[in-house]
Amino acid sequence: MSPRPSLLLALASLASLVGCDRAPAPTSTALPPLVIEAAPAQLTTDAIPVEGTALVSRRAESTLSFKTGGLIATIPVRAGDTVRAGQTLATLRLDEIDALVAQARTAEEKSRRDLTRVQALQAERVATLENLQDARSALDAASAALRAAEFNRAHSVIVAPTDGRILRRLSEPDELAAPGRPILVFAGDTAGWIARLGVTEREIVRLHLGDRAEISWQGAAPVPATVAQIAESTDPATRTVEVELALDAAAPVGARSGFIVDARIFPQPLPAPRTTVPLAALVEGSEHRAHVFVVAADQKTVHRVPVEVEALRGDRAYLRTALPAGSRVATTGAEFLSDGRAVTLAGAKP
């Protein structure tokens, strides 16, 4: 049996009366202020340093060898020895070389006697002018052969060109040394120290002779240096340009030729200042693009600003995008912000 129509109408009226007495619940989408820390954006003309790894060595390093070939007689020095200028470092067995010098000297003496005899004959009209000229030519040739033999004799002994150290010993006595074969690697102490590093084509255009630099290794204090040379061509294998740094220190403490060190070059200041911000201020970074949140003048809200990043160095980001003078950017808490978000600066008075 269906309900009576009068009962249904009564129930509907009662429900509408109850709904009218109940007010809708209030809703709010406003977020409470987020406590953040902020730091000022700074302007600087300092150029971004050029960094890389370098090979340190003495400026004067050479491979010593004999000009002539022969059996090695003595090598009285070993790797690591300190030597003085003019000190004998290695010698060949000189029997054959001395014999060649004696032969050349005898030939020169004979040619000199022949010239004297022809001159006397020519004065008596017995020898012709042609005979005299031939005798003089023979003496000149003999004298040149003697000088060559004496030169080879002098370079059959290796002597230290300057004060320095023996870096490597590449041969031993009684070995047969060919002309020009490396015998010793020598480093002079008087020409100072250098460091060489490869710099990319993009960064080499920012460097100039005389730029300030420094090197460091194994936690030691940085050693000041100066850009002394910049190559005029790139290395075809690495596509980098070699830069030579002259170290200010005469002999860096603990340095050895061939050490790999960290090098940092400081290019000349920029003609116009650029903006830098703390690294913590960057959010939503992709390649060279990112965003920062700039605190409004009333310090109660932030605005999301896109920026282009040129480089990151230490705890600072160098921007190609200029920010207004006096700007403050959110650092701690920046990752939780959105454009127009209400904020409270940490440490600010209420």
Side-chain angles (χ1 to χ4, degrees), residues 70 72 79 94 137 230 246 320 346:
I72 300 175
L94 301 176
S137 297
I230 301 176
R320 291 193 180 99

Side-chain angles (χ1 to χ4, degrees), residues 71-76 78 91 93 169 171-176:
L71 291 173
I72 300 175
T74 60
I75 305 179
R78 305 201 73 87
T91 59
R93 292 186 180 178
R169 172 169 159 164
S171 299
E172 296 296 331
D174 297 324
E175 291 183 358
L176 181 61

Side-chain angles (χ1 to χ4, degrees), residues 162-178:
T162 61
D163 294 348
R165 293 177 181 271
I166 304 299
L167 300 184
R168 291 190 296 278
R169 172 169 159 164
L170 306 176
S171 299
E172 296 296 331
D174 297 324
E175 291 183 358
L176 181 61

Side-chain angles (χ1 to χ4, degrees), residues 235 254 328:
D235 186 321
R328 292 174 62 84

